[in-house]
Amino acid sequence: MPVQRRNTKQRTLVLDAVRNRCDHPTAEEIYLDVRSRDDKISRATVYRNLRLLEQTHAITCVKAPGGDRFDLRLDAHCHVVCTECGAVIDATVPYDAEADASVAQATGYAIASHSTIFEGLCPACQAEAHAK
Amino acid sequence: MPVQRRNTKQRTLVLDAVRNRCDHPTAEEIYLDVRSRDDKISRATVYRNLRLLEQTHAITCVKAPGGDRFDLRLDAHCHVVCTECGAVIDATVPYDAEADASVAQATGYAIASHSTIFEGLCPACQAEAHAK
DNA sequence: ATGCTTGCAAACAGTTTGCATCTAA
DNA sequence: TTAGATGCAAACTGTTTGCAAGCAT
């Protein structure tokens, strides 16, 4: 675990790739995006940088079925994930900062944050389910 | 995807194993528990039954780093996971059913439920961090 | 008897790691 | 110069699947 960070071309590319997307890409999608700008970069580097940027709080990751999704960290917000196709979108519910303090008090954990994930069928998958 | 279910000895063992634990065991831990009662049961069977029981809503699964954790579904509640050691405990925050309806309205998703996961250091890991 | 279930092993997906080489500072 | 970063390939973890045999209904 290095303490000092360097600004490599690859690290910048990974961060930019996350910045340039509004959906919530998987590591693989980030890899493909970055790959189109630098066809030498390896998956390992993308994964290493995603973890590093996450630890730095430059980006956040949403644990969705079928792999983590990454997201630019602007403000804390919730996510909605489709139980059928796995699509992830942002939710419009305010972040309840008070809950963190309350849970910390009750459990003794040092709560850093919380994430809420709503699960359900997206409109497209609802339509498909009806079609059967 | 079978529509009809049978009551096999193995399925019962898996369900009982989840019922008999208050912590939030991983699939592997369930497997080891069940294994101690039936040393012929295979991991595949445990995984298959855990998924099946989840779909049946007999149990729920919490997506934690390092693998899903399983839980008897009594009532909807939130979880707290330690970012260091991965321990999972129940949180004491009421389930906000209203949020589901509100998100459903705003997004067009058919929201089935939501899960909230608080992240932070458990007391033991806090102590260890201080010790350094 | 039928077809859901099982056990086994192999396959899989997503991610991490060892190591020699490279490079930012 | 030197510690951090990279690329490659192999290793790993958690989970799923194909198939022949088994068992609940």
Side-chain angles (χ1 to χ4, degrees):
Chain A
M1 47 190 97
V3 275
Q4 192 182 160
R5 288 171 297 127
R6 290 182 183 174
N7 295 327
T8 62
K9 184 182 105 194
Q10 292 88 336
R11 185 159 301 159
T12 306
L13 280 174
V14 170
L15 180 53
D16 284 351
V18 178
R19 280 208 175 114
N20 291 334
R21 298 190 54 149
C22 314
D23 55 343
H24 300 72
T26 60
E28 181 68 17
E29 289 170 328
I30 296 288
Y31 168 70
L32 291 175
D33 270 17
V34 172
R35 188 81 192 199
S36 71
R37 308 262 247 110
D38 172 357
D39 64 354
K40 281 288 191 303
I41 200 171
S42 76
R43 260 188 198 79
T45 299
V46 172
Y47 276 97
R48 276 189 285 237
N49 280 314
L50 285 173
R51 294 284 160 246
L52 208 109
L53 291 167
E54 188 195 347
Q55 285 167 15
T56 311
H57 302 292
I59 63 177
T60 50
C61 96
V62 183
K63 279 137 186 42
D68 291 354
R69 305 303 196 96
F70 295 88
D71 196 8
L72 235 201
R73 181 196 177 81
L74 295 170
D75 56 336
H77 58 271
C78 308
H79 293 97
V80 187
V81 32
C82 177
T83 45
E84 192 62 29
C85 69
V88 176
I89 65 169
D90 292 328
T92 51
V93 176
Y95 184 87
D96 183 1
E98 216 173 278
D100 289 350
S102 137
V103 169
Q105 172 111 41
T107 62
Y109 275 54
I111 303 296
S113 67
H114 69 262
S115 72
T116 298
I117 296 183
F118 291 84
E119 298 182 357
L121 283 183
C122 71
C125 289
Q126 285 177 57
E128 201 182 320
H130 266 292
K132 287 187 203 167
Chain B
M1 47 195 98
V3 275
Q4 193 183 159
R5 286 172 296 129
R6 289 183 184 174
N7 295 327
T8 62
K9 184 183 106 193
Q10 292 88 336
R11 186 159 300 159
T12 306
L13 281 173
V14 170
L15 180 53
D16 284 349
V18 178
R19 281 207 174 115
N20 292 333
R21 296 190 53 148
C22 315
D23 55 343
H24 300 71
T26 59
E28 181 67 15
E29 290 169 328
I30 296 288
Y31 167 69
L32 291 175
D33 270 16
V34 172
R35 188 81 192 197
S36 71
R37 308 263 247 109
D38 172 358
D39 64 354
K40 280 289 190 303
I41 201 170
S42 75
R43 260 189 199 77
T45 299
V46 172
Y47 276 98
R48 276 188 286 236
N49 280 314
L50 285 173
R51 295 285 159 246
L52 208 107
L53 290 168
E54 188 195 346
Q55 286 167 14
T56 311
H57 302 292
I59 63 177
T60 50
C61 95
V62 183
K63 279 137 185 40
D68 291 355
R69 305 303 195 97
F70 295 87
D71 196 7
L72 234 202
R73 179 200 179 82
L74 294 171
D75 55 337
H77 57 272
C78 309
H79 294 96
V80 187
V81 32
C82 177
T83 46
E84 194 60 30
C85 68
V88 176
I89 64 169
D90 292 327
T92 51
V93 176
Y95 184 86
D96 183 1
E98 218 173 276
D100 288 351
S102 135
V103 169
Q105 172 111 41
T107 62
Y109 275 55
I111 304 296
S113 68
H114 69 262
S115 73
T116 298
I117 296 183
F118 292 83
E119 298 182 357
L121 285 184
C122 72
C125 289
Q126 285 176 57
E128 201 182 320
H130 267 291
K132 289 187 198 165

